[in-house]
Amino acid sequence: MASSSQTQRSQRASIHEIDGVGSITQEGDGPKILIVKLSSLGDVLHTLPIVWDLRKRLPHAQIDWIVEEAYVPLLKPLETTSTFRGIDRIIPLAFRRWRKSLWSRSTWHEFLAMRQLLQARTYDVILETQGLIKSALVCALAKKSAHAVVAGLGNATEYSGYEPLARFFYTQAVQVPKQCHAVDRARWVMCSAMDWPLIKREAEPPQFYPHDFVKHLPTLSLESLSSAANDPIAKYVLCFHSTARAAKRWANESWIDLGKSLAKEGYRLVLPWGNTSERQVSEFIASHIPGAIVPRAISIEEAYSLIAHATLIVGVDTGLTHVAAILGKPTVEIYCDSPRWKTEGYWSERISNHGDVGHPPEVAEVLAACQRLITQSTI
């Protein structure tokens, strides 16, 4: 694999010849670009801004994205339509499901169908921002033009998964700061691949979905939430207490104390869950908070609607908390065993970040943030 700076410069020059970076005037002039970000929920969300970055500079580029099937709904709002140009093709795969039945005929039939779809287009640029072998293998499967640039992470970042062998599948292994926010990390890889100056967050705050996206999300129909959704006086606060790693959770006692304080101010606490053990925790917390609700199981699409119509969202470092932050909702992010710099919402004054690795925030601090954001949103 090529890795010298001289080879990288020649590859970048080829991209310039293909797309005329920054000066496209006719349809078809843009390069064909593949984004490889397979999972997980928060990681996919934090990669969305590069779609906007690419479209701003290469309006006629062909942009495709390959992703785990469970996270396709995260990309749908950016899918190209007759009036909007975003992601032209969303290519689903199912590594998580396939590995459970690796020798099944149906698994291999689905895999071959995915490969055929992936290879139906010849890519000039492939952006791989996950740094894992499975993602790098997808890059290898993709059909590439003669001088294609395949850019991926050249080093590990703190508190992130990384598999060094993935670098051998790239033509550009991009060095990023060891402490690098997930949004900024994707921009590092993209800008290196396109030979652009690094896009700074201060100059161009990241955009995730169209500005009016939240306004068009329907109210979620939940029997237990009907009074809160239909009565403008009854407001609800979403509490995302669950996360894949137990150490990232905030103490149940803290949730209960916070919930009681918010309930006294007239808010109904809603505690979603994703599996049986999380539901049990939701039910335990709700049993100590007057009027608290444990809803039925909800899909990702339903979660968007539930978040869109909430007065406030409070959550630990987990995917649905990040959904709230990118939707521009008043959001209090709680960090207990993960670094704030890695995923904190920095693009809006409606996001308040608290705690850090080994230093979960006190209830009083979180409550004060909740009250401040609620007050701001009503002004």
Side-chain angles (χ1 to χ4, degrees), residues 120-249:
R121 202 178 306 283
T122 301
Y123 294 104
D124 303 305
V125 182
I126 299 178
L127 306 174
E128 199 281 275
T129 63
Q130 205 149 17
L132 300 180
I133 292 174
K134 67 177 181 180
S135 303
L137 288 172
V138 170
C139 296
L141 281 175
K143 190 176 180 182
K144 307 169 193 67
S145 60
H147 300 287
V149 173
V150 182
L153 296 172
N155 62 293
T157 53
E158 292 181 9
Y159 298 94
S160 295
Y162 180 73
E163 295 170 345
L165 287 177
R167 288 178 294 182
F168 293 99
F169 292 86
Y170 311 143
T171 63
Q172 285 188 31
V174 183
Q175 295 287 319
V176 300
K178 288 192 174 180
Q179 290 192 355
C180 190
H181 192 283
V183 170
D184 303 328
R185 184 173 57 194
R187 283 177 154 181
W188 272 81
V189 173
M190 175 194 65
C191 289
S192 177
M194 307 306 298
D195 198 18
W196 294 338
L198 180 64
I199 299 174
K200 300 293 183 68
R201 59 169 70 176
E202 299 82 7
E204 293 187 47
Q207 185 173 350
F208 299 90
Y209 291 130
H211 294 299
D212 60 349
F213 173 66
V214 175
K215 297 177 182 178
H216 299 295
L217 288 170
T219 301
L220 182 61
S221 178
L222 289 176
E223 184 177 351
S224 58
L225 193 57
S226 59
S227 59
N230 298 329
D231 183 350
I233 298 175
K235 306 293 185 180
Y236 66 93
V237 174
L238 279 176
C239 297
F240 293 124
H241 63 81
S242 302
T243 183
R245 186 157 54 85
K248 293 167 67 175
R249 294 195 65 249

Side-chain angles (χ1 to χ4, degrees), residues 11 45 84 268 353:
Q11 289 164 339
L45 291 173
F84 174 79
R268 299 186 71 180
N353 306 285

Side-chain angles (χ1 to χ4, degrees), residues 296-310:
R296 59 168 173 78
I298 58 175
S299 65
I300 289 179
E301 295 95 329
E302 290 176 321
Y304 272 58
S305 290
L306 191 61
I307 290 167
H309 297 278

Side-chain angles (χ1 to χ4, degrees), residues 229-300:
N230 298 329
D231 183 350
I233 298 175
K235 306 293 185 180
Y236 66 93
V237 174
L238 279 176
C239 297
F240 293 124
H241 63 81
S242 302
T243 183
R245 186 157 54 85
K248 293 167 67 175
R249 294 195 65 249
W250 204 34
N252 290 344
E253 294 74 15
S254 297
W255 283 111
I256 291 169
D257 290 344
L258 176 69
K260 286 180 177 179
S261 297
L262 291 173
K264 286 180 181 178
E265 297 182 18
Y267 298 99
R268 299 186 71 180
L269 277 292
V270 180
L271 297 115
W273 50 276
N275 56 45
T276 302
S277 60
E278 292 176 1
R279 181 174 184 172
Q280 291 172 347
V281 174
S282 289
E283 290 172 343
F284 174 78
I285 295 172
S287 68
H288 293 78
I289 302 172
I293 297 169
V294 178
R296 59 168 173 78
I298 58 175
S299 65
I300 289 179

